[in-house]
Amino acid sequence: MSHQLPEHPDRLWRTPDPKRSYDVVIVGAGGHGLATAYYLARNHGITNVAVLERGWLAGGNMARNTTIIRSNYLCEESAALYEHALKLWEVLPQELEYDFLFSQRGVLNLAHTLQDVREGTRRVNANRLGGVDAEWLDADQVREFCPIVNTSPDVRYPVLGATLQPRAGIAKHDHVAWALARKADEYGVDLIQGCEVTGFLREGDRVVGVRTSRGPIGAGRVALAAAGHSSVLADLAGLRLPVQSHPLQALVSELLEPVHPTVVMSNHVHVYVSQAHKGELVMGAGVDPYNGYGQRGSFHQIEHQMAAALELFPVFARAHVLRTWGGIVDVTPDASPIIGPTPIENLFLNCGWGTGGFKATPASGWVYAHTIATGEPHPLNAPFGLERFTTGALIDEHGAAAVAH
Amino acid sequence: MLLIACPWCGERDELEFHYGGQAHVAYPADPEGLSDAEWGEYLFVRDNTKGPFAERWSHAAGCRRWFNVVRHTVTHQILAVPSDRPTAAGRPKPVTA
C-alpha cells in the first residue's frame, strides 16, 4: 500500500482577474464548486464560468477532511447518489490526467452490539439490492481482513462483526481539488481566489450577479457551494436555510510504516481511522454539539476519539499526535444534503453535506451542474430539494449512514 | 473546552452540559392555523448566526436546569449569562443577543 507521491503536471491553473459577467458564477472553490465547474464544461459545454473563493482554492473543508470514500448508505436516494460518485471516482484519475492516489482498500464499519449487528446486516442487504457492493464479516473475518483490530471478546465493546465495502477507500484530497481545478481551467473556467462574495445583485425577485470584494460580477445564474458558510451567504439573499454549522475535527499521527490495510469506522465507540499514503494515521469522530464557525473544536472530542482508537488498535498506544484541525460542517435536520433550485430565480443551492461531503465530490458536481444548466434537478438529486422540509419527504440518514452525526 | 457559568451552580466545564440550540423560539401560538411551510419553518429552520448568538444550555450532569447564554460563534467567548440568580419563585432574566 505504500506509494511514491506522484509528480504534479507542469501547469495547474491561471489566476485571472474577474470579468464583468459570466453565464454561471459558482461561490466556493472547494471540491464541490470545482467539480461543478468541471462538469458544467465537460457535460454541458458551459465554459463562461467563474468560481469565486474568499480564501484560497480548496482551503476549507476540502483540506480538512479524512478523505474517506464509500457509498454504503442505507436510504435508496443516498446510496444512489454516493454510488454514482464512487463510479466517477473510479474513472476520474484517468479522465483528469492527474493521479490523486485513489486507493480502493475497502471500508469496515464495525459492529459492537446486537443492535449494530442488526443495523449492519440490514445495510448490507439494502446495499446489495441497490447495486452497491457490500459484505458481512464475522469477528474472525474482521481480524483476517485487518489484523491490527483488537477482536478480543474481553474488551468493553467487543467487535461482533463488520460490514465491508471492498470498493470503498481513500484519495489524496488536495490532489483531487488540483486535478479538478486544472481541468476546469483548461476548459476556460476562471478560478478567482481572494474574492469574497458580500451580497447579491437583484432585479426584482431574480438574482443577476454578486457583489464581491473585487467589485460586482454579473451572472446568468449563481450557484452556492460554500459548505459551512452556506447560511451566512443565503442570509445575504434573504433566504433562511434548515442548516446548522458545527465544528468537526480531525487529527493525524506521526508517520508510521504501513500497518493499517483498510479504513475502519466504528459508530459505537466512534472513531474512524485510516492510514494516509505517506504513513500518518488519519482519525476523525463526531462534531462538537454547539454551533460554531471558529474552525477549532473541543479538546474532549479528541480525547474521546483517541480513547476509541486505542480500544480498537492497542498497537497504536505509543503513536504521537502530530496535529489536529477543525472544519465547519453544515448539518441539516435529516443529515442529508440540499441540492437544487431555490425560491429565488437563478439562485441555486448545494449545501448540507454535513460530515460527509468529500466522498460525494464528483456526483455532487455532476448533479449540480445538471441542475444549473437545465434549471431542473437531475433524477439523482431530485429527492434532495429544499422543499422536502415543507413536504416532510425527508431522507433520514441519522444513524443509518453508518456514522453518527 | 468551554467554561460555562450555570446560573445556579457556577462555572463548570462544557462536558457537564447539553446543548439546546437557538434560544427564544416560541411554540406557534396558533398551531392549527399554520401552513405546511410555516410548520416546516418552525420544525427545521433556526438562525445559524456567525457572531453573537443567543442559545440554550442544560446543566445535564448538574442541576439539570435550562438557561440561556449569548456566545460568539467564532471566538466561543461567552458574552452574557443570566445576570441575577433566580429565586425559587422566579426564573432568571432572559438573555438576548
Side-chain angles (χ1 to χ4, degrees):
Chain A
M1 71 175 250
S2 176
H3 295 262
Q4 182 111 28
L5 293 182
E7 291 289 315
H8 295 298
D10 292 338
R11 196 190 59 77
L12 291 172
W13 54 83
R14 299 164 295 133
T15 306
D17 289 321
K19 293 192 281 188
R20 289 180 56 130
S21 74
Y22 292 90
D23 292 340
V24 178
V25 164
I26 297 167
V27 185
H32 289 212
L34 294 169
T36 304
Y38 170 65
Y39 286 118
L40 270 174
R42 178 194 179 274
N43 292 358
H44 303 280
I46 299 173
T47 56
N48 185 22
V49 174
V51 185
L52 309 183
E53 171 56 48
R54 182 181 61 151
W56 60 92
L57 191 139
N61 291 357
M62 190 63 174
R64 295 164 193 270
N65 70 83
T66 50
T67 80
I68 297 166
I69 293 166
R70 59 188 177 89
S71 61
N72 57 346
Y73 277 63
L74 180 64
C75 299
E76 283 173 24
E77 300 90 338
S78 320
L81 189 58
Y82 290 106
E83 178 59 19
H84 185 60
L86 186 45
K87 287 186 174 132
L88 293 172
W89 284 115
E90 287 170 331
V91 300
L92 266 181
Q94 198 165 17
E95 187 178 307
L96 298 174
E97 300 174 288
Y98 199 140
D99 184 2
F100 52 70
L101 299 174
F102 178 46
S103 163
Q104 292 179 287
R105 58 184 63 184
V107 167
L108 285 174
N109 287 94
L110 301 181
H112 301 271
T113 66
L114 188 55
Q115 172 67 21
D116 283 353
V117 172
R118 288 174 178 152
E119 185 276 325
T121 47
R122 180 186 174 205
R123 186 157 40 77
V124 164
N125 290 330
N127 285 161
R128 286 182 159 184
L129 286 170
V132 176
D133 59 318
E135 297 170 23
W136 176 256
L137 306 187
D138 64 25
D140 288 338
Q141 291 169 313
V142 169
R143 185 167 52 237
E144 200 173 312
F145 193 75
C146 185
I148 55 172
V149 175
N150 182 10
T151 51
S152 161
D154 299 323
V155 295
R156 187 171 179 197
Y157 298 110
V159 173
L160 302 181
T163 66
L164 168 64
Q165 183 178 21
R167 285 166 59 243
I170 58 171
K172 196 152 176 55
H173 47 0
D174 299 327
H175 294 219
V176 173
W178 300 334
L180 287 165
R182 174 172 167 269
K183 275 293 173 189
D185 175 88
E186 215 170 275
Y187 276 116
V189 170
D190 283 356
L191 307 174
I192 300 165
Q193 305 177 63
C195 182
E196 180 175 6
V197 170
T198 55
F200 292 88
L201 304 173
R202 304 277 289 254
E203 268 176 20
D205 53 4
R206 280 187 311 143
V207 163
V208 295
V210 289
R211 290 180 214 286
T212 78
S213 55
R214 296 178 67 178
I217 301 173
R221 288 180 172 171
V222 176
L224 306 185
H229 278 72
S230 294
S231 46
V232 175
L233 267 177
D235 272 350
L236 298 173
L239 182 65
R240 272 163 65 79
L241 300 181
V243 164
Q244 298 282 289
S245 296
H246 293 262
L248 174 66
Q249 295 181 88
L251 62 89
V252 294
S253 74
E254 61 195 316
L255 307 188
L256 302 170
E257 63 182 273
V259 288
H260 193 333
T262 184
V263 181
V264 172
M265 308 180 66
S266 166
N267 198 358
H268 195 80
V269 300
H270 208 178
V271 70
Y272 34 97
V273 188
S274 61
Q275 188 167 20
H277 296 84
K278 235 172 16 174
E280 309 102 314
L281 299 171
V282 184
M283 294 185 202
V287 297
D288 278 4
Y290 48 78
N291 292 27
Y293 289 94
Q295 291 191 324
R296 61 191 301 173
S298 292
F299 187 69
H300 66 83
Q301 293 284 358
I302 294 173
E303 288 182 310
H304 175 84
Q305 78 191 59
M306 299 275 279
L310 274 192
E311 171 153 325
L312 295 177
F313 303 101
V315 66
F316 297 149
R318 287 167 187 270
H320 294 99
V321 172
L322 205 63
R323 61 183 188 276
T324 73
W325 65 91
I328 302 305
V329 298
D330 43 333
V331 179
T332 59
D334 62 354
S336 294
I338 303 169
I339 326 159
T342 69
I344 300 167
E345 199 177 334
N346 296 337
L347 182 66
F348 294 83
L349 179 64
N350 182 339
C351 71
W353 292 91
T355 61
F358 175 72
K359 67 175 84 72
T361 300
S364 169
W366 184 286
V367 300
Y368 200 30
H370 177 100
T371 308
I372 297 160
T374 64
E376 297 292 327
H378 185 280
L380 283 172
N381 68 308
F384 292 91
L386 195 53
E387 66 282 354
R388 74 179 186 272
F389 297 101
T390 299
T391 63
L394 303 179
I395 303 163
D396 194 359
E397 286 287 4
H398 272 294
V403 62
H405 290 83
Chain B
M1 183 88 72
L2 303 179
L3 188 62
I4 300 172
C6 169
W8 289 274
C9 309
E11 289 186 338
R12 302 296 173 88
D13 91 46
E14 175 192 336
L15 281 175
E16 294 190 13
F17 295 88
H18 177 80
Y19 186 61
Q22 186 183 352
H24 310 300
V25 179
Y27 189 78
D30 176 23
E32 294 185 7
L34 257 52
S35 67
D36 286 353
E38 287 165 333
W39 263 119
E41 172 91 8
Y42 169 68
L43 286 173
F44 299 123
V45 181
R46 295 289 180 271
D47 291 348
N48 190 22
T49 309
K50 185 175 186 178
F53 183 55
E55 61 191 12
R56 307 178 75 221
W57 289 85
S58 157
H59 193 186
C63 64
R64 301 192 55 79
R65 283 189 273 196
W66 285 93
F67 57 97
N68 296 339
V69 161
V70 177
R71 180 179 56 93
H72 196 290
T73 58
V74 179
T75 64
H76 299 312
Q77 191 183 359
I78 291 177
L79 304 168
V81 290
S83 53
D84 293 343
R85 187 186 167 91
T87 63
R91 299 165 68 83
K93 286 182 182 171
V95 177
T96 51

